[in-house]
Amino acid sequence: MTPKLVADLEPPYYTAVFTSIRPEVLEGYAETAVRMREIVGELPGFLGYETARTPGGIGISIAYFRDLEALDAWRLQTEHQAAKAYGREHWYDSYSVHIGKVERSYSFERE
């Protein structure tokens, strides 16, 4: 599958940037990640996401939301809260979350 960037979103919108450090392979992580993508994809106001991980275990995931209400719905979603708690206990060595408002955005794609 060819990667596709989230582009052409009309500002303003919001981002949740999740950076983490964790081991490469973790029991149940991949299945939980798939489930979280399913859940967030169903939320009104969710615009898309991008994610990357280095071989050394540093990960960056960025989720895009139309407004703060949509972002809060994701933050408060029951299964998402349970996954966060489990991740703190079992998967992550550390993580940070950064919330931002995007006021300007542009993109480029080679034809």
Side-chain angles (χ1 to χ4, degrees), residues 31-67:
E31 297 82 4
T32 301
V34 167
R35 178 64 182 143
M36 293 302 103
R37 286 191 292 271
E38 290 172 356
I39 293 169
V40 74
E42 296 171 357
L43 291 177
F46 173 71
L47 303 174
Y49 75 95
E50 297 161 328
T51 189
R53 184 159 296 279
T54 70
I58 297 173
I60 300 172
S61 296
I62 306 169
Y64 301 90
F65 297 88
R66 176 53 48 208
D67 50 38

Side-chain angles (χ1 to χ4, degrees), residues 10 14-15 34 44 56 60 69 77 82:
E10 183 65 33
Y14 290 83
T15 60
V34 167
I60 300 172
E69 291 77 16
Q77 202 283 337

Side-chain angles (χ1 to χ4, degrees), residues 4 8 107-111:
K4 183 77 173 153
D8 300 324
S107 60
F108 165 81
E109 186 172 340
R110 187 175 314 281
E111 294 184 26

Side-chain angles (χ1 to χ4, degrees), residues 10-97:
E10 183 65 33
Y13 54 91
Y14 290 83
T15 60
V17 180
F18 178 77
T19 56
S20 64
I21 298 176
R22 66 168 177 81
E24 286 294 313
V25 179
L26 296 166
E27 185 176 330
Y29 184 88
E31 297 82 4
T32 301
V34 167
R35 178 64 182 143
M36 293 302 103
R37 286 191 292 271
E38 290 172 356
I39 293 169
V40 74
E42 296 171 357
L43 291 177
F46 173 71
L47 303 174
Y49 75 95
E50 297 161 328
T51 189
R53 184 159 296 279
T54 70
I58 297 173
I60 300 172
S61 296
I62 306 169
Y64 301 90
F65 297 88
R66 176 53 48 208
D67 50 38
L68 286 174
E69 291 77 16
L71 201 151
D72 280 342
W74 173 234
R75 180 178 60 84
L76 298 172
Q77 202 283 337
T78 305
E79 283 186 70
H80 182 223
Q81 286 187 330
K84 288 190 295 186
Y86 190 87
R88 282 190 298 272
E89 184 69 28
H90 300 281
W91 292 327
Y92 296 106
D93 294 333
S94 64
Y95 69 78
S96 297
V97 177

